Amino acid sequence: MKRIPWLIAALAAALYCSFSVAQWNGFISPSWDLGIFTQLANQYAHFNAPIVDIKGPGYNLLGDHFHPILILLGPVFRLFPSGLTLLILQNLLFAWSSVPITRLASQKFGAGWGAALGVSYALSWGLLEAIAAQFHEIAFAVPLLAFGLVHWIEGRKRAYIEIGLLAFVKEDLGLTVAAFGFVMLLSTWGQAAPRRSLASLKKSLTSRQACNGWLMICWGLFWFVASIWIILPLLNPGGVWDYTGRLSETSFFAPVEKYVTLALLMASAGIIGIRSPLMLLMIPTLLWRFAGNVPYYWGWEWHYSAILMPIAAVSLIDGLSSSSSLKIPPRTLGALGISLSLLTSLAMAWTGPVGSYVRGNYYVLDQRAGEGAVNAVRYDARIVSDFRMLAYLVPGNTLYWEGTVGDATVDTAVISPGHSAHSQHPEEWASKKFGGTWKIVYDQSGFTVLERIDLLTQ
């Protein structure tokens, strides 16, 4: 039984990495985020501040989001300097997070149902969508939550450290840490007396057992406030937190896509997981997402639900463990809850990007042509690129995105299939956009590399 969690993790890692390698080789870039984090990792690898010119010339990425934990990317990137390294690392972290969940479920419900929940978690829609969206800082939050929540249920003190580290993954996760502290207080209240009352509440909140809960609340709130109102504005080029404008001008209770997300989360928790107070840890994330005016926040796609998957899985285990008061036999309830979670994961996986890849329907670009474009770029070039090529061009170069290049001086331009420059003469497009005289040095299957002649011949 001890091997089952690691076997599931290994198979999950193989699936994740196979998909990411195909995505990387096919030059599939759903956003510019992988380029941004690759440039950050490259800076940390060389002991530099996280200046990410892709966001804008001289932009310190610690002024964008509060994620000091990403300094851990530096040593790994130094050994393997590639954007693919970040994808593989995220995949391994996600797969690793399935180990404690499968282990705990196996201990509670037996090897068979434990393995079923482990597979359900490994194939959960939140994780697979995050893998398809490529690397984000939440890669570290997922295993911290999985191990932290399982260790808390098991009564291990290391859980406080694991959950507390979430505050260094992203600024909003300080609220998740505080929510965990609140759950700890609820648990203490439940242990104070057979029936909860105001008297038992007062007694529990002032007990020694409640101290850790209060500490977690203070720790999470401190880092949330410090990052939002002090650290991020201090390091941001504009002197503000960039995301205040995304939390307005929308209806919190619409559109229907938000309710679909909630339904999927409840199904992932097998419905019975709603009985667990751990589900309260989802509230901070769902509040800022549903209050946001960015449609990507509301649904089940992208990476925004990845951190909710370990919460749902552990809540399912906790909910089933405390279901003795219900009239349905525990074994029947467990079978129904885990089956619902597994069916939800399988259905969402099959219809999502990873399912398309498994069925052989995943669209990719010409790998040889794309690699030829990367190899055609001189070392130590000052490059401006479209978002598709960013992560591939980071090592050894100064790199800008065409949308935020500003007045920076560039000597190389790289564009990919579908770029608007292909509808005109690329040399004229580059001259109008960036000045000077340009020539094409590589052009194949829509991948084009241009160099600025007047700069390179001086």
Side-chain angles (χ1 to χ4, degrees):
M1 190 174 80
K2 292 181 179 180
R3 297 180 180 178
I4 293 177
W6 289 103
L7 177 60
I8 291 174
L11 292 174
L15 174 63
Y16 300 164
C17 291
S18 177
F19 173 82
S20 291
V21 169
Q23 197 182 45
W24 175 263
N25 289 341
F27 287 82
I28 304 301
S29 302
S31 72
W32 67 338
D33 292 349
L34 181 59
I36 287 173
F37 288 113
T38 302
Q39 200 165 54
L40 171 138
N42 184 61
Q43 295 284 27
Y44 281 144
H46 294 87
F47 306 101
N48 297 322
I51 304 301
V52 175
D53 293 315
I54 292 173
K55 283 281 289 186
Y59 193 105
N60 188 328
L61 204 65
L62 281 176
D64 181 52
H65 286 301
F66 183 64
H67 40 49
I69 200 169
L70 293 187
I71 198 170
L72 297 176
L73 295 176
V76 181
F77 195 87
R78 188 67 177 261
L79 293 174
F80 308 101
S82 168
L84 180 59
T85 299
L86 272 62
L87 299 182
I88 299 300
L89 177 62
Q90 177 172 264
N91 293 341
L92 295 179
L93 289 171
F94 281 4
W96 183 39
S97 72
S98 70
V99 173
I101 291 172
T102 307
R103 174 175 54 79
L104 181 63
S106 298
Q107 291 172 353
K108 297 283 187 179
F109 317 121
W113 287 113
L117 185 57
V119 171
S120 174
Y121 171 77
L123 296 179
S124 59
W125 48 277
L127 295 187
L128 295 188
E129 289 292 339
I131 290 167
Q134 301 186 336
F135 184 87
H136 291 88
E137 62 273 274
I138 50 88
F140 290 94
V142 170
L144 286 173
L145 275 165
F147 279 94
L149 295 180
V150 168
H151 287 157
W152 183 67
I153 288 178
E154 294 175 337
R156 303 189 190 187
K157 292 183 178 180
R158 72 182 72 169
Y160 307 136
I161 298 174
E162 292 158 342
I163 299 297
L165 286 173
L166 289 172
F168 301 130
V169 177
K170 195 163 170 275
E171 61 272 14
D172 65 281
L173 289 176
L175 294 178
T176 302
V177 175
F180 177 71
F182 178 72
V183 169
M184 292 175 65
L185 294 181
L186 279 180
S187 176
T188 303
W189 186 18
Q191 296 169 3
R195 298 184 64 179
R196 289 184 173 130
S197 64
L198 289 178
S200 64
L201 173 62
K202 182 178 179 180
K203 180 180 179 181
S204 65
L205 293 182
T206 56
S207 66
R208 293 186 61 182
Q209 293 90 334
C211 288
N212 288 332
W214 287 115
L215 287 173
M216 296 300 288
I217 290 174
C218 292
W219 176 262
L221 291 179
F222 170 80
W223 284 110
F224 173 73
V225 172
S227 60
I228 293 292
W229 278 282
I230 301 175
I231 300 172
L232 291 174
L234 184 65
L235 297 176
N236 187 281
V240 297
W241 182 50
D242 277 342
Y243 297 90
T244 52
R246 298 189 181 186
L247 299 175
S248 61
E249 301 174 7
T250 185
S251 171
F252 185 84
F253 299 102
V256 70
E257 189 175 7
K258 297 176 181 178
Y259 298 97
V260 176
T261 300
L262 290 176
L264 287 171
L265 288 171
M266 289 189 290
S268 293
I271 304 298
I272 190 65
I274 300 173
R275 287 175 52 86
S276 171
L278 292 175
M279 288 291 283
L280 295 174
L281 270 65
M282 293 188 182
I283 291 179
T285 297
L286 292 174
L287 282 177
W288 73 255
R289 285 176 58 184
F290 289 0
N293 55 21
V294 179
Y296 295 128
Y297 293 166
W298 308 333
W300 55 91
E301 298 173 318
W302 296 93
H303 60 288
Y304 300 110
S305 295
I307 65 166
L308 304 181
M309 296 297 100
I311 299 174
V314 179
S315 294
L316 172 53
I317 298 172
D318 188 47
L320 287 172
S321 300
S322 59
S323 63
S324 57
S325 60
L326 299 178
K327 295 181 179 180
I328 304 176
R331 182 169 295 182
T332 302
L333 196 62
L336 291 174
I338 294 174
S339 296
L340 175 60
S341 178
L342 179 59
L343 288 173
T344 301
S345 294
L346 291 174
M348 294 295 290
W350 190 249
T351 57
V354 176
S356 296
Y357 164 71
V358 171
R359 298 195 306 272
N361 296 331
Y362 196 67
Y363 173 75
V364 296
L365 299 179
D366 188 334
Q367 178 182 351
R368 182 174 296 180
E371 291 175 347
V374 175
N375 294 331
V377 174
R378 298 173 301 101
Y379 182 79
D380 199 23
R382 298 182 62 85
I383 308 170
V384 61
S385 168
D386 60 12
F387 74 85
R388 187 191 303 276
M389 301 297 293
L390 291 172
Y392 300 85
L393 299 168
V394 167
N397 301 302
T398 301
L399 184 64
Y400 305 93
W401 178 51
E402 61 178 325
T404 55
V405 63
D407 296 328
T409 301
V410 295
D411 54 40
T412 306
V414 181
I415 55 178
S416 60
H419 195 281
S420 60
H422 291 301
S423 63
Q424 50 188 307
H425 293 290
E427 304 97 317
E428 295 179 3
W429 165 83
S431 181
K432 291 178 182 178
K433 289 272 290 185
F434 314 114
T437 305
W438 295 76
K439 70 173 181 178
I440 296 175
V441 296
Y442 180 89
D443 188 17
Q444 185 174 338
S445 299
F447 291 94
T448 305
V449 179
L450 303 100
E451 290 184 350
R452 184 171 171 179
I453 305 171
D454 56 312
L455 282 181
L456 296 177
T457 55
Q458 290 178 357

